[in-house]
Amino acid sequence: MKKRWLGTVLMICSFSACAEEACEVLRLASLPIEYTSFKPTLHGMFNGVDLRLLMDSGATTTFLFPSGVKKAGLTEIRTNGLSVGVGGSVPSFIAVAKEAEIGPSHGKNVRFMAIETSLNGEGVLGADYLFRTDLEVFLRENRVTFLKTEHCDDKPISYWDHDAPWVDSHDVWGSDQRQKIEVKINGQRFSALLDSGAMQSVINLRAAASIGLKPDAAGTQLAGLATGIGGSVPRWSAHIDTFEIGAETVRNVTIQIADLYGPSFNHVALFMPDMILGADFMQAHRLLFSRSQGRLYFTYLGGQIFNPGPSREELAEKVQHMREEAEKNSVPDMLGLAYMLTMGLGAEKDQVEACKWLLIAEQSSWAASHAGVLQNIQRSSAALLAQLSGPESDEARKRAAAWTPLQ
């Protein structure tokens, strides 16, 4: 695992302040960021095995995927747990590592949640590990640095720029260490979650509607899918006049809106942040999360702060790629293709063809080995079949029965 242990102490003080106790910022560990499918990942050691984990400040807890559990030889404890995320919920279980090392954190006989999912990768590094210390996130230079401060009180700790702006930052609630801040959109105040695991920034539909941004509003266009551990939900692009964070103001930009929480969050949705600031926003800024001070320091680095989303041509290319991989028996691509065809994203809407791919995925050995995903597939195929006419259902089943994977 590539990493650097740093004993560097940064002294931050004026001449007069240094006569007293100086504010010290100690770099505990710096980890390189690598990208997998355009998402930032960090390395962690589990039972001496190097796993690559999605760096996801929008995830409450760190969790592993079955592929990571198997690779590291972790002990599995099966439970009746359920994990909730964008797109729905999936079954979870406990995985125990005899030894675990993530950044400056070390432990023995550590329990991690593991989830059944169709997402690629070996796991997710969430807020419970990322924010155990103050944390600098510098996506533009592909690194994160874990920090510890001494004698700083409310002195600025943005060591690269003593005058860097900052805003108040708070834990989402209770033991949930994810960080939220306040922003303004078109002059109205909203809470925002900093989410490095989301490629694009998104406003939740409930909040978006309060300023007139709705899926059926003039100028709003279907833009693709927002994907989470439970599946995918449609997202739309919409125009906003102003976005403000602290003294930074951006005008006339396009941003995504989507139902981030849905029925799986119906009991807590009112307490969840109104939007997520994703990797697009974080790429455009140098950030320092200081839970010790309750602040987020930020420096604008240039470029777009919001990714407007894929064009129609890019969506069409994505559908074509999914189709090619699905024909080679890739079940995750079958599921993605079925959703795109159901919604008419990147291709003509075709529910019969979408149902065909769900039925094929449902019978796959891959789905059989991912019980939680199989249940979601079964629910989706049953719901879609119920929407089709008798002849359409027969046609979908006929196509599924006749299909064979490309060699």
PDB file of all heavy atoms in Angstrom, residues 46 53 59-66 69 74-75 77 79 81-85 90-97 110-116 122-124 128-129 229:
ATOM      1  N   PHE A  46      -6.184  -4.963   5.273  1.00  0.00           N
ATOM      2  CA  PHE A  46      -7.069  -5.823   6.047  1.00  0.00           C
ATOM      3  C   PHE A  46      -6.456  -7.219   6.099  1.00  0.00           C
ATOM      4  O   PHE A  46      -6.266  -7.853   5.055  1.00  0.00           O
ATOM      5  CB  PHE A  46      -8.457  -5.879   5.404  1.00  0.00           C
ATOM      6  CG  PHE A  46      -9.152  -4.548   5.340  1.00  0.00           C
ATOM      7  CD1 PHE A  46      -8.832  -3.624   4.354  1.00  0.00           C
ATOM      8  CD2 PHE A  46     -10.117  -4.215   6.280  1.00  0.00           C
ATOM      9  CE1 PHE A  46      -9.469  -2.398   4.291  1.00  0.00           C
ATOM     10  CE2 PHE A  46     -10.763  -2.984   6.223  1.00  0.00           C
ATOM     11  CZ  PHE A  46     -10.435  -2.072   5.231  1.00  0.00           C
ATOM     12  N   LEU A  53     -10.509   1.111  -1.557  1.00  0.00           N
ATOM     13  CA  LEU A  53     -11.818   1.536  -1.058  1.00  0.00           C
ATOM     14  C   LEU A  53     -12.204   2.881  -1.664  1.00  0.00           C
ATOM     15  O   LEU A  53     -11.381   3.804  -1.732  1.00  0.00           O
ATOM     16  CB  LEU A  53     -11.792   1.666   0.466  1.00  0.00           C
ATOM     17  CG  LEU A  53     -11.272   0.460   1.255  1.00  0.00           C
ATOM     18  CD1 LEU A  53     -11.251   0.792   2.742  1.00  0.00           C
ATOM     19  CD2 LEU A  53     -12.105  -0.777   0.986  1.00  0.00           C
ATOM     20  N   ALA A  59     -20.723   8.695   2.888  1.00  0.00           N
ATOM     21  CA  ALA A  59     -21.151   7.452   3.522  1.00  0.00           C
ATOM     22  C   ALA A  59     -20.956   7.563   5.024  1.00  0.00           C
ATOM     23  O   ALA A  59     -19.887   7.954   5.494  1.00  0.00           O
ATOM     24  CB  ALA A  59     -20.363   6.266   2.982  1.00  0.00           C
ATOM     25  N   THR A  60     -21.977   7.218   5.791  1.00  0.00           N
ATOM     26  CA  THR A  60     -21.894   7.339   7.241  1.00  0.00           C
ATOM     27  C   THR A  60     -20.823   6.417   7.813  1.00  0.00           C
ATOM     28  O   THR A  60     -20.052   6.813   8.693  1.00  0.00           O
ATOM     29  CB  THR A  60     -23.247   6.998   7.887  1.00  0.00           C
ATOM     30  OG1 THR A  60     -24.256   7.828   7.325  1.00  0.00           O
ATOM     31  CG2 THR A  60     -23.200   7.208   9.394  1.00  0.00           C
ATOM     32  N   THR A  61     -20.767   5.177   7.323  1.00  0.00           N
ATOM     33  CA  THR A  61     -19.840   4.190   7.862  1.00  0.00           C
ATOM     34  C   THR A  61     -18.988   3.584   6.752  1.00  0.00           C
ATOM     35  O   THR A  61     -19.340   3.632   5.569  1.00  0.00           O
ATOM     36  CB  THR A  61     -20.588   3.050   8.577  1.00  0.00           C
ATOM     37  OG1 THR A  61     -21.481   2.419   7.644  1.00  0.00           O
ATOM     38  CG2 THR A  61     -21.385   3.574   9.751  1.00  0.00           C
ATOM     39  N   THR A  62     -17.879   3.014   7.159  1.00  0.00           N
ATOM     40  CA  THR A  62     -17.033   2.242   6.254  1.00  0.00           C
ATOM     41  C   THR A  62     -17.628   0.848   6.105  1.00  0.00           C
ATOM     42  O   THR A  62     -18.027   0.235   7.091  1.00  0.00           O
ATOM     43  CB  THR A  62     -15.609   2.153   6.821  1.00  0.00           C
ATOM     44  OG1 THR A  62     -15.048   3.483   6.858  1.00  0.00           O
ATOM     45  CG2 THR A  62     -14.721   1.248   5.977  1.00  0.00           C
ATOM     46  N   PHE A  63     -17.707   0.368   4.876  1.00  0.00           N
ATOM     47  CA  PHE A  63     -18.228  -0.983   4.667  1.00  0.00           C
ATOM     48  C   PHE A  63     -17.509  -1.639   3.493  1.00  0.00           C
ATOM     49  O   PHE A  63     -16.899  -0.966   2.646  1.00  0.00           O
ATOM     50  CB  PHE A  63     -19.744  -0.983   4.458  1.00  0.00           C
ATOM     51  CG  PHE A  63     -20.241  -0.067   3.362  1.00  0.00           C
ATOM     52  CD1 PHE A  63     -20.325  -0.496   2.050  1.00  0.00           C
ATOM     53  CD2 PHE A  63     -20.648   1.223   3.670  1.00  0.00           C
ATOM     54  CE1 PHE A  63     -20.794   0.350   1.053  1.00  0.00           C
ATOM     55  CE2 PHE A  63     -21.114   2.079   2.673  1.00  0.00           C
ATOM     56  CZ  PHE A  63     -21.188   1.637   1.369  1.00  0.00           C
ATOM     57  N   LEU A  64     -17.558  -2.955   3.479  1.00  0.00           N
ATOM     58  CA  LEU A  64     -16.862  -3.738   2.466  1.00  0.00           C
ATOM     59  C   LEU A  64     -17.859  -4.435   1.558  1.00  0.00           C
ATOM     60  O   LEU A  64     -19.008  -4.679   1.930  1.00  0.00           O
ATOM     61  CB  LEU A  64     -15.957  -4.776   3.135  1.00  0.00           C
ATOM     62  CG  LEU A  64     -14.899  -4.221   4.090  1.00  0.00           C
ATOM     63  CD1 LEU A  64     -14.135  -5.362   4.752  1.00  0.00           C
ATOM     64  CD2 LEU A  64     -13.932  -3.291   3.354  1.00  0.00           C
ATOM     65  N   PHE A  65     -17.405  -4.754   0.346  1.00  0.00           N
ATOM     66  CA  PHE A  65     -18.185  -5.547  -0.582  1.00  0.00           C
ATOM     67  C   PHE A  65     -17.751  -7.009  -0.463  1.00  0.00           C
ATOM     68  O   PHE A  65     -16.633  -7.288  -0.003  1.00  0.00           O
ATOM     69  CB  PHE A  65     -17.981  -5.052  -2.007  1.00  0.00           C
ATOM     70  CG  PHE A  65     -18.420  -3.632  -2.243  1.00  0.00           C
ATOM     71  CD1 PHE A  65     -17.922  -2.915  -3.324  1.00  0.00           C
ATOM     72  CD2 PHE A  65     -19.335  -3.010  -1.407  1.00  0.00           C
ATOM     73  CE1 PHE A  65     -18.316  -1.613  -3.558  1.00  0.00           C
ATOM     74  CE2 PHE A  65     -19.744  -1.706  -1.623  1.00  0.00           C
ATOM     75  CZ  PHE A  65     -19.231  -0.998  -2.709  1.00  0.00           C
ATOM     76  N   PRO A  66     -18.588  -7.956  -0.878  1.00  0.00           N
ATOM     77  CA  PRO A  66     -18.209  -9.371  -0.788  1.00  0.00           C
ATOM     78  C   PRO A  66     -16.875  -9.689  -1.434  1.00  0.00           C
ATOM     79  O   PRO A  66     -16.123 -10.532  -0.930  1.00  0.00           O
ATOM     80  CB  PRO A  66     -19.364 -10.075  -1.508  1.00  0.00           C
ATOM     81  CG  PRO A  66     -20.540  -9.188  -1.254  1.00  0.00           C
ATOM     82  CD  PRO A  66     -19.992  -7.797  -1.321  1.00  0.00           C
ATOM     83  N   VAL A  69     -14.225  -8.765   1.101  1.00  0.00           N
ATOM     84  CA  VAL A  69     -14.256  -9.703   2.233  1.00  0.00           C
ATOM     85  C   VAL A  69     -13.551 -10.999   1.856  1.00  0.00           C
ATOM     86  O   VAL A  69     -12.745 -11.544   2.621  1.00  0.00           O
ATOM     87  CB  VAL A  69     -15.719  -9.986   2.650  1.00  0.00           C
ATOM     88  CG1 VAL A  69     -15.774 -11.091   3.699  1.00  0.00           C
ATOM     89  CG2 VAL A  69     -16.372  -8.707   3.181  1.00  0.00           C
ATOM     90  N   LEU A  74     -11.650 -12.349   5.386  1.00  0.00           N
ATOM     91  CA  LEU A  74     -12.247 -11.908   6.640  1.00  0.00           C
ATOM     92  C   LEU A  74     -13.303 -12.905   7.124  1.00  0.00           C
ATOM     93  O   LEU A  74     -13.927 -13.614   6.336  1.00  0.00           O
ATOM     94  CB  LEU A  74     -12.888 -10.528   6.470  1.00  0.00           C
ATOM     95  CG  LEU A  74     -11.998  -9.407   5.921  1.00  0.00           C
ATOM     96  CD1 LEU A  74     -12.739  -8.082   5.976  1.00  0.00           C
ATOM     97  CD2 LEU A  74     -10.683  -9.321   6.670  1.00  0.00           C
ATOM     98  N   THR A  75     -13.485 -12.952   8.414  1.00  0.00           N
ATOM     99  CA  THR A  75     -14.507 -13.816   9.011  1.00  0.00           C
ATOM    100  C   THR A  75     -15.875 -13.188   8.828  1.00  0.00           C
ATOM    101  O   THR A  75     -16.071 -12.007   9.128  1.00  0.00           O
ATOM    102  CB  THR A  75     -14.238 -14.023  10.508  1.00  0.00           C
ATOM    103  OG1 THR A  75     -12.941 -14.595  10.678  1.00  0.00           O
ATOM    104  CG2 THR A  75     -15.279 -14.940  11.128  1.00  0.00           C
ATOM    105  N   ILE A  77     -19.909 -12.888   9.675  1.00  0.00           N
ATOM    106  CA  ILE A  77     -20.969 -13.145  10.652  1.00  0.00           C
ATOM    107  C   ILE A  77     -22.270 -12.707  10.004  1.00  0.00           C
ATOM    108  O   ILE A  77     -22.523 -11.511   9.818  1.00  0.00           O
ATOM    109  CB  ILE A  77     -20.740 -12.373  11.962  1.00  0.00           C
ATOM    110  CG1 ILE A  77     -19.383 -12.744  12.576  1.00  0.00           C
ATOM    111  CG2 ILE A  77     -21.874 -12.642  12.948  1.00  0.00           C
ATOM    112  CD1 ILE A  77     -19.045 -11.944  13.813  1.00  0.00           C
ATOM    113  N   THR A  79     -26.038 -11.744   9.472  1.00  0.00           N
ATOM    114  CA  THR A  79     -27.072 -11.102  10.281  1.00  0.00           C
ATOM    115  C   THR A  79     -28.275 -10.825   9.388  1.00  0.00           C
ATOM    116  O   THR A  79     -28.269 -11.123   8.196  1.00  0.00           O
ATOM    117  CB  THR A  79     -26.571  -9.771  10.866  1.00  0.00           C
ATOM    118  OG1 THR A  79     -26.342  -8.851   9.778  1.00  0.00           O
ATOM    119  CG2 THR A  79     -25.266  -9.968  11.639  1.00  0.00           C
ATOM    120  N   GLY A  81     -29.221  -7.763   8.873  1.00  0.00           N
ATOM    121  CA  GLY A  81     -29.092  -6.319   8.733  1.00  0.00           C
ATOM    122  C   GLY A  81     -29.542  -5.820   7.380  1.00  0.00           C
ATOM    123  O   GLY A  81     -29.647  -6.570   6.406  1.00  0.00           O
ATOM    124  N   LEU A  82     -29.785  -4.508   7.309  1.00  0.00           N
ATOM    125  CA  LEU A  82     -30.213  -3.858   6.084  1.00  0.00           C
ATOM    126  C   LEU A  82     -29.525  -2.503   5.994  1.00  0.00           C
ATOM    127  O   LEU A  82     -29.510  -1.744   6.966  1.00  0.00           O
ATOM    128  CB  LEU A  82     -31.734  -3.674   6.092  1.00  0.00           C
ATOM    129  CG  LEU A  82     -32.432  -3.464   4.755  1.00  0.00           C
ATOM    130  CD1 LEU A  82     -32.289  -4.702   3.876  1.00  0.00           C
ATOM    131  CD2 LEU A  82     -33.911  -3.159   4.984  1.00  0.00           C
ATOM    132  N   SER A  83     -28.934  -2.217   4.845  1.00  0.00           N
ATOM    133  CA  SER A  83     -28.260  -0.940   4.634  1.00  0.00           C
ATOM    134  C   SER A  83     -29.040  -0.122   3.625  1.00  0.00           C
ATOM    135  O   SER A  83     -29.506  -0.650   2.613  1.00  0.00           O
ATOM    136  CB  SER A  83     -26.826  -1.161   4.134  1.00  0.00           C
ATOM    137  OG  SER A  83     -26.065  -1.834   5.106  1.00  0.00           O
ATOM    138  N   VAL A  84     -29.172   1.169   3.894  1.00  0.00           N
ATOM    139  CA  VAL A  84     -29.978   2.045   3.058  1.00  0.00           C
ATOM    140  C   VAL A  84     -29.086   3.072   2.387  1.00  0.00           C
ATOM    141  O   VAL A  84     -28.176   3.634   2.997  1.00  0.00           O
ATOM    142  CB  VAL A  84     -31.055   2.763   3.904  1.00  0.00           C
ATOM    143  CG1 VAL A  84     -31.887   3.696   3.045  1.00  0.00           C
ATOM    144  CG2 VAL A  84     -31.945   1.742   4.599  1.00  0.00           C
ATOM    145  N   GLY A  85     -29.343   3.317   1.104  1.00  0.00           N
ATOM    146  CA  GLY A  85     -28.602   4.321   0.353  1.00  0.00           C
ATOM    147  C   GLY A  85     -29.440   4.825  -0.795  1.00  0.00           C
ATOM    148  O   GLY A  85     -30.619   4.475  -0.931  1.00  0.00           O
ATOM    149  N   VAL A  90     -30.236  -2.726   0.761  1.00  0.00           N
ATOM    150  CA  VAL A  90     -29.672  -4.044   0.457  1.00  0.00           C
ATOM    151  C   VAL A  90     -29.326  -4.739   1.766  1.00  0.00           C
ATOM    152  O   VAL A  90     -29.056  -4.090   2.783  1.00  0.00           O
ATOM    153  CB  VAL A  90     -28.402  -3.936  -0.419  1.00  0.00           C
ATOM    154  CG1 VAL A  90     -28.732  -3.408  -1.807  1.00  0.00           C
ATOM    155  CG2 VAL A  90     -27.353  -3.047   0.249  1.00  0.00           C
ATOM    156  N   PRO A  91     -29.316  -6.096   1.782  1.00  0.00           N
ATOM    157  CA  PRO A  91     -28.930  -6.833   2.987  1.00  0.00           C
ATOM    158  C   PRO A  91     -27.464  -6.595   3.341  1.00  0.00           C
ATOM    159  O   PRO A  91     -26.623  -6.326   2.479  1.00  0.00           O
ATOM    160  CB  PRO A  91     -29.166  -8.296   2.593  1.00  0.00           C
ATOM    161  CG  PRO A  91     -30.116  -8.241   1.458  1.00  0.00           C
ATOM    162  CD  PRO A  91     -29.791  -6.990   0.715  1.00  0.00           C
ATOM    163  N   SER A  92     -27.157  -6.700   4.631  1.00  0.00           N
ATOM    164  CA  SER A  92     -25.781  -6.517   5.090  1.00  0.00           C
ATOM    165  C   SER A  92     -25.422  -7.600   6.099  1.00  0.00           C
ATOM    166  O   SER A  92     -26.293  -8.266   6.653  1.00  0.00           O
ATOM    167  CB  SER A  92     -25.610  -5.130   5.727  1.00  0.00           C
ATOM    168  OG  SER A  92     -26.430  -4.986   6.867  1.00  0.00           O
ATOM    169  N   PHE A  93     -24.114  -7.769   6.316  1.00  0.00           N
ATOM    170  CA  PHE A  93     -23.622  -8.699   7.319  1.00  0.00           C
ATOM    171  C   PHE A  93     -22.349  -8.120   7.926  1.00  0.00           C
ATOM    172  O   PHE A  93     -21.907  -7.021   7.539  1.00  0.00           O
ATOM    173  CB  PHE A  93     -23.380 -10.093   6.713  1.00  0.00           C
ATOM    174  CG  PHE A  93     -22.393 -10.127   5.575  1.00  0.00           C
ATOM    175  CD1 PHE A  93     -21.058 -10.443   5.802  1.00  0.00           C
ATOM    176  CD2 PHE A  93     -22.793  -9.880   4.268  1.00  0.00           C
ATOM    177  CE1 PHE A  93     -20.144 -10.485   4.764  1.00  0.00           C
ATOM    178  CE2 PHE A  93     -21.885  -9.930   3.219  1.00  0.00           C
ATOM    179  CZ  PHE A  93     -20.553 -10.230   3.461  1.00  0.00           C
ATOM    180  N   ILE A  94     -21.762  -8.817   8.884  1.00  0.00           N
ATOM    181  CA  ILE A  94     -20.561  -8.339   9.565  1.00  0.00           C
ATOM    182  C   ILE A  94     -19.340  -9.102   9.055  1.00  0.00           C
ATOM    183  O   ILE A  94     -19.380 -10.322   8.878  1.00  0.00           O
ATOM    184  CB  ILE A  94     -20.674  -8.523  11.093  1.00  0.00           C
ATOM    185  CG1 ILE A  94     -21.887  -7.754  11.628  1.00  0.00           C
ATOM    186  CG2 ILE A  94     -19.396  -8.068  11.801  1.00  0.00           C
ATOM    187  CD1 ILE A  94     -21.819  -6.271  11.408  1.00  0.00           C
ATOM    188  N   ALA A  95     -18.252  -8.382   8.801  1.00  0.00           N
ATOM    189  CA  ALA A  95     -16.972  -8.988   8.429  1.00  0.00           C
ATOM    190  C   ALA A  95     -15.928  -8.560   9.461  1.00  0.00           C
ATOM    191  O   ALA A  95     -15.818  -7.367   9.779  1.00  0.00           O
ATOM    192  CB  ALA A  95     -16.554  -8.551   7.030  1.00  0.00           C
ATOM    193  N   VAL A  96     -15.167  -9.509   9.986  1.00  0.00           N
ATOM    194  CA  VAL A  96     -14.202  -9.232  11.056  1.00  0.00           C
ATOM    195  C   VAL A  96     -12.786  -9.368  10.514  1.00  0.00           C
ATOM    196  O   VAL A  96     -12.418 -10.406   9.939  1.00  0.00           O
ATOM    197  CB  VAL A  96     -14.394 -10.190  12.241  1.00  0.00           C
ATOM    198  CG1 VAL A  96     -13.425  -9.842  13.372  1.00  0.00           C
ATOM    199  CG2 VAL A  96     -15.832 -10.132  12.747  1.00  0.00           C
ATOM    200  N   ALA A  97     -11.994  -8.306  10.695  1.00  0.00           N
ATOM    201  CA  ALA A  97     -10.589  -8.320  10.304  1.00  0.00           C
ATOM    202  C   ALA A  97      -9.719  -8.511  11.547  1.00  0.00           C
ATOM    203  O   ALA A  97      -9.887  -7.804  12.539  1.00  0.00           O
ATOM    204  CB  ALA A  97     -10.212  -7.013   9.611  1.00  0.00           C
ATOM    205  N   VAL A 110     -11.270  -6.019  14.247  1.00  0.00           N
ATOM    206  CA  VAL A 110     -12.163  -4.897  13.913  1.00  0.00           C
ATOM    207  C   VAL A 110     -13.338  -5.403  13.085  1.00  0.00           C
ATOM    208  O   VAL A 110     -13.163  -6.151  12.121  1.00  0.00           O
ATOM    209  CB  VAL A 110     -11.406  -3.809  13.125  1.00  0.00           C
ATOM    210  CG1 VAL A 110     -12.320  -2.616  12.883  1.00  0.00           C
ATOM    211  CG2 VAL A 110     -10.161  -3.371  13.882  1.00  0.00           C
ATOM    212  N   ARG A 111     -14.527  -4.980  13.485  1.00  0.00           N
ATOM    213  CA  ARG A 111     -15.740  -5.367  12.753  1.00  0.00           C
ATOM    214  C   ARG A 111     -16.104  -4.298  11.731  1.00  0.00           C
ATOM    215  O   ARG A 111     -16.108  -3.111  12.036  1.00  0.00           O
ATOM    216  CB  ARG A 111     -16.901  -5.573  13.729  1.00  0.00           C
ATOM    217  CG  ARG A 111     -16.727  -6.760  14.652  1.00  0.00           C
ATOM    218  CD  ARG A 111     -17.998  -7.008  15.442  1.00  0.00           C
ATOM    219  NE  ARG A 111     -17.952  -8.295  16.128  1.00  0.00           N
ATOM    220  CZ  ARG A 111     -19.011  -9.011  16.459  1.00  0.00           C
ATOM    221  NH1 ARG A 111     -20.223  -8.564  16.135  1.00  0.00           N
ATOM    222  NH2 ARG A 111     -18.891 -10.169  17.082  1.00  0.00           N
ATOM    223  N   PHE A 112     -16.414  -4.758  10.527  1.00  0.00           N
ATOM    224  CA  PHE A 112     -16.875  -3.874   9.467  1.00  0.00           C
ATOM    225  C   PHE A 112     -18.204  -4.383   8.939  1.00  0.00           C
ATOM    226  O   PHE A 112     -18.445  -5.591   8.894  1.00  0.00           O
ATOM    227  CB  PHE A 112     -15.866  -3.819   8.312  1.00  0.00           C
ATOM    228  CG  PHE A 112     -14.555  -3.190   8.666  1.00  0.00           C
ATOM    229  CD1 PHE A 112     -13.494  -3.969   9.111  1.00  0.00           C
ATOM    230  CD2 PHE A 112     -14.381  -1.823   8.571  1.00  0.00           C
ATOM    231  CE1 PHE A 112     -12.282  -3.400   9.446  1.00  0.00           C
ATOM    232  CE2 PHE A 112     -13.169  -1.240   8.902  1.00  0.00           C
ATOM    233  CZ  PHE A 112     -12.113  -2.026   9.342  1.00  0.00           C
ATOM    234  N   MET A 113     -19.043  -3.471   8.538  1.00  0.00           N
ATOM    235  CA  MET A 113     -20.261  -3.871   7.859  1.00  0.00           C
ATOM    236  C   MET A 113     -19.899  -4.266   6.429  1.00  0.00           C
ATOM    237  O   MET A 113     -19.021  -3.659   5.803  1.00  0.00           O
ATOM    238  CB  MET A 113     -21.271  -2.722   7.842  1.00  0.00           C
ATOM    239  CG  MET A 113     -22.588  -3.071   7.176  1.00  0.00           C
ATOM    240  SD  MET A 113     -23.833  -1.783   7.432  1.00  0.00           S
ATOM    241  CE  MET A 113     -23.058  -0.402   6.582  1.00  0.00           C
ATOM    242  N   ALA A 114     -20.550  -5.274   5.910  1.00  0.00           N
ATOM    243  CA  ALA A 114     -20.392  -5.682   4.511  1.00  0.00           C
ATOM    244  C   ALA A 114     -21.769  -5.739   3.887  1.00  0.00           C
ATOM    245  O   ALA A 114     -22.744  -6.108   4.547  1.00  0.00           O
ATOM    246  CB  ALA A 114     -19.696  -7.035   4.414  1.00  0.00           C
ATOM    247  N   ILE A 115     -21.872  -5.352   2.629  1.00  0.00           N
ATOM    248  CA  ILE A 115     -23.184  -5.293   1.985  1.00  0.00           C
ATOM    249  C   ILE A 115     -23.178  -6.055   0.673  1.00  0.00           C
ATOM    250  O   ILE A 115     -22.145  -6.199   0.012  1.00  0.00           O
ATOM    251  CB  ILE A 115     -23.621  -3.839   1.726  1.00  0.00           C
ATOM    252  CG1 ILE A 115     -22.694  -3.167   0.705  1.00  0.00           C
ATOM    253  CG2 ILE A 115     -23.670  -3.041   3.008  1.00  0.00           C
ATOM    254  CD1 ILE A 115     -23.220  -1.852   0.188  1.00  0.00           C
ATOM    255  N   GLU A 116     -24.342  -6.563   0.320  1.00  0.00           N
ATOM    256  CA  GLU A 116     -24.545  -7.201  -0.977  1.00  0.00           C
ATOM    257  C   GLU A 116     -24.907  -6.103  -1.973  1.00  0.00           C
ATOM    258  O   GLU A 116     -25.885  -5.387  -1.785  1.00  0.00           O
ATOM    259  CB  GLU A 116     -25.682  -8.219  -0.906  1.00  0.00           C
ATOM    260  CG  GLU A 116     -25.456  -9.346   0.092  1.00  0.00           C
ATOM    261  CD  GLU A 116     -24.517 -10.411  -0.431  1.00  0.00           C
ATOM    262  OE1 GLU A 116     -24.041 -10.281  -1.574  1.00  0.00           O
ATOM    263  OE2 GLU A 116     -24.255 -11.374   0.311  1.00  0.00           O
ATOM    264  N   GLU A 122     -14.100  -2.945  -3.904  1.00  0.00           N
ATOM    265  CA  GLU A 122     -13.869  -3.821  -2.755  1.00  0.00           C
ATOM    266  C   GLU A 122     -14.427  -3.263  -1.449  1.00  0.00           C
ATOM    267  O   GLU A 122     -14.442  -3.957  -0.447  1.00  0.00           O
ATOM    268  CB  GLU A 122     -12.368  -4.086  -2.629  1.00  0.00           C
ATOM    269  CG  GLU A 122     -11.833  -4.862  -3.832  1.00  0.00           C
ATOM    270  CD  GLU A 122     -10.318  -4.951  -3.891  1.00  0.00           C
ATOM    271  OE1 GLU A 122      -9.634  -4.067  -3.335  1.00  0.00           O
ATOM    272  OE2 GLU A 122      -9.825  -5.912  -4.510  1.00  0.00           O
ATOM    273  N   GLY A 123     -14.877  -2.005  -1.493  1.00  0.00           N
ATOM    274  CA  GLY A 123     -15.470  -1.431  -0.300  1.00  0.00           C
ATOM    275  C   GLY A 123     -15.527   0.083  -0.371  1.00  0.00           C
ATOM    276  O   GLY A 123     -15.158   0.697  -1.374  1.00  0.00           O
ATOM    277  N   VAL A 124     -15.994   0.678   0.713  1.00  0.00           N
ATOM    278  CA  VAL A 124     -16.179   2.124   0.806  1.00  0.00           C
ATOM    279  C   VAL A 124     -15.585   2.619   2.115  1.00  0.00           C
ATOM    280  O   VAL A 124     -15.838   2.044   3.183  1.00  0.00           O
ATOM    281  CB  VAL A 124     -17.672   2.488   0.730  1.00  0.00           C
ATOM    282  CG1 VAL A 124     -17.897   3.947   1.114  1.00  0.00           C
ATOM    283  CG2 VAL A 124     -18.229   2.216  -0.661  1.00  0.00           C
ATOM    284  N   ASP A 128     -16.833   7.675   9.174  1.00  0.00           N
ATOM    285  CA  ASP A 128     -16.394   7.220  10.491  1.00  0.00           C
ATOM    286  C   ASP A 128     -14.883   7.065  10.576  1.00  0.00           C
ATOM    287  O   ASP A 128     -14.299   7.191  11.660  1.00  0.00           O
ATOM    288  CB  ASP A 128     -17.093   5.915  10.867  1.00  0.00           C
ATOM    289  CG  ASP A 128     -16.864   4.797   9.865  1.00  0.00           C
ATOM    290  OD1 ASP A 128     -16.585   5.091   8.683  1.00  0.00           O
ATOM    291  OD2 ASP A 128     -16.981   3.618  10.242  1.00  0.00           O
ATOM    292  N   TYR A 129     -14.223   6.803   9.446  1.00  0.00           N
ATOM    293  CA  TYR A 129     -12.757   6.749   9.422  1.00  0.00           C
ATOM    294  C   TYR A 129     -12.152   8.040   8.899  1.00  0.00           C
ATOM    295  O   TYR A 129     -11.141   8.521   9.422  1.00  0.00           O
ATOM    296  CB  TYR A 129     -12.281   5.571   8.563  1.00  0.00           C
ATOM    297  CG  TYR A 129     -12.114   4.293   9.352  1.00  0.00           C
ATOM    298  CD1 TYR A 129     -13.196   3.468   9.604  1.00  0.00           C
ATOM    299  CD2 TYR A 129     -10.879   3.919   9.886  1.00  0.00           C
ATOM    300  CE1 TYR A 129     -13.071   2.303  10.342  1.00  0.00           C
ATOM    301  CE2 TYR A 129     -10.732   2.756  10.623  1.00  0.00           C
ATOM    302  CZ  TYR A 129     -11.836   1.950  10.847  1.00  0.00           C
ATOM    303  OH  TYR A 129     -11.695   0.809  11.594  1.00  0.00           O
ATOM    304  N   ILE A 229     -25.951   2.483  -3.256  1.00  0.00           N
ATOM    305  CA  ILE A 229     -25.812   1.071  -2.913  1.00  0.00           C
ATOM    306  C   ILE A 229     -27.089   0.292  -3.179  1.00  0.00           C
ATOM    307  O   ILE A 229     -27.067  -0.923  -3.361  1.00  0.00           O
ATOM    308  CB  ILE A 229     -25.383   0.880  -1.447  1.00  0.00           C
ATOM    309  CG1 ILE A 229     -26.467   1.392  -0.483  1.00  0.00           C
ATOM    310  CG2 ILE A 229     -24.051   1.545  -1.182  1.00  0.00           C
ATOM    311  CD1 ILE A 229     -26.186   1.042   0.963  1.00  0.00           C
TER     312      ILE A 229
END
